[in-house]
């Protein structure tokens, strides 16, 4: 596989992608003929009513779901080509903030954040502690997810996505469980892409 970091432009592109689900004998369109381009360092927002396919589009762009039609390209590499591991690409280059938090209940706050990194070492743990401070959970590093509020769990999930400094960050309603102040802090963090791209529902 081509090294996706070899390009200096860092572009994610979708060309007429369509995603369908089967409902009995009928095909239901979750995404239909969507094309978009996100440049390196660009912050893009997606707006739309519930059920309009926003989350499904993120799934297609990240390779979680392959498109029924169309293609997705990351830095010139077709990620839905035969023989390409979408999972390997997703783990290496994408950070994903889901509506559901998917935290590991038996791990602490800090451990849940660090588990999102490519490797665990002293530098990674230091970055994890800095993120804990940044998201306003200092002093709660050893708590388990079930000891946190929904808003606190969401912030842990955001820090987990950020710790590996992904090439592309995809966030699905990342401030849904946060108050105005915490939501503003999170959006500031997401906007500090440092050359990375962000797509936020």
């Amino acid at each position: 596989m081509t090294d996706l970091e070899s390009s200096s432009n860092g572009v994610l592109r979708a060309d007429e992608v369509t995603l369908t689900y089967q409902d009995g004998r009928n095909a239901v369109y979750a995404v239909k003929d969507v094309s978009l381009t996100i440049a390196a360092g660009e912050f893009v927002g997606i707006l739309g009513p519930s059920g309009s396919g926003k989350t499904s589009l993120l799934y297609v762009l990240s390779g979680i779901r392959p498109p029924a039609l169309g293609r997705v390209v990351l830095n010139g590499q077709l990620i839905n080509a035969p023989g390409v591991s979408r999972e390997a690409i997703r783990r290496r280059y994408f950070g994903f903030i889901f509506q559901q938090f998917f935290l590991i209940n038996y791990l602490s706050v800090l451990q849940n954040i660090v588990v999102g990194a490519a490797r665990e070492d002293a530098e990674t743990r230091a970055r994890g502690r800095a993120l804990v401070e940044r998201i306003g959970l200092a002093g709660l590093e050893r708590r388990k997810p079930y000891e946190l509020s929904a808003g606190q769990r969401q912030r842990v999930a955001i820090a987990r996505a950020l710790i590996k400094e992904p090439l592309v960050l995809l966030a699905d309603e990342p401030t849904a469980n946060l108050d105005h102040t915490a939501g503003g802090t999170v959006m500031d963090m997401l906007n500090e892409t440092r050359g990375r791209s962000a797509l936020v529902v």
Side-chain angles (χ1 to χ4, degrees), residues 111-177:
Q111 290 169 330
N112 264 289
I113 293 171
V114 171
V115 79
R119 64 180 185 275
E120 183 177 350
D121 53 22
E123 180 182 348
T124 299
R125 288 190 291 275
R127 283 210 318 274
R129 285 189 289 270
L131 281 168
V132 167
E133 182 83 25
R134 184 73 196 278
I135 62 176
L137 296 182
L140 305 181
E141 295 90 338
R142 297 186 179 183
R143 288 198 181 181
K144 303 295 193 296
Y146 55 82
E147 299 176 299
L148 304 175
S149 69
Q152 289 170 331
R153 292 197 298 272
Q154 185 148 15
R155 280 181 271 171
V156 174
I158 290 166
R160 179 186 58 195
L162 292 173
I163 193 168
K164 66 178 178 180
E165 300 180 334
L167 187 65
V168 179
L169 180 67
L170 303 175
D172 195 359
E173 300 188 27
T175 62
N177 294 293

Side-chain angles (χ1 to χ4, degrees), residues 1-7 74-77 79 89 93 167:
M1 184 175 69
T2 303
D3 186 349
L4 298 179
E5 294 177 320
S6 62
S7 169
L74 180 66
N75 271 9
Q77 170 73 43
I79 72 171
I89 290 174
Y93 298 105
L167 187 65

Side-chain angles (χ1 to χ4, degrees), residues 97 135 155 158 162 174-175 178 181-191:
I97 302 168
I135 62 176
R155 280 181 271 171
I158 290 166
L162 292 173
T175 62
L178 305 178
T181 300
T185 298
V186 165
M187 292 305 294
D188 287 343
M189 292 174 67
L190 299 184
N191 200 28

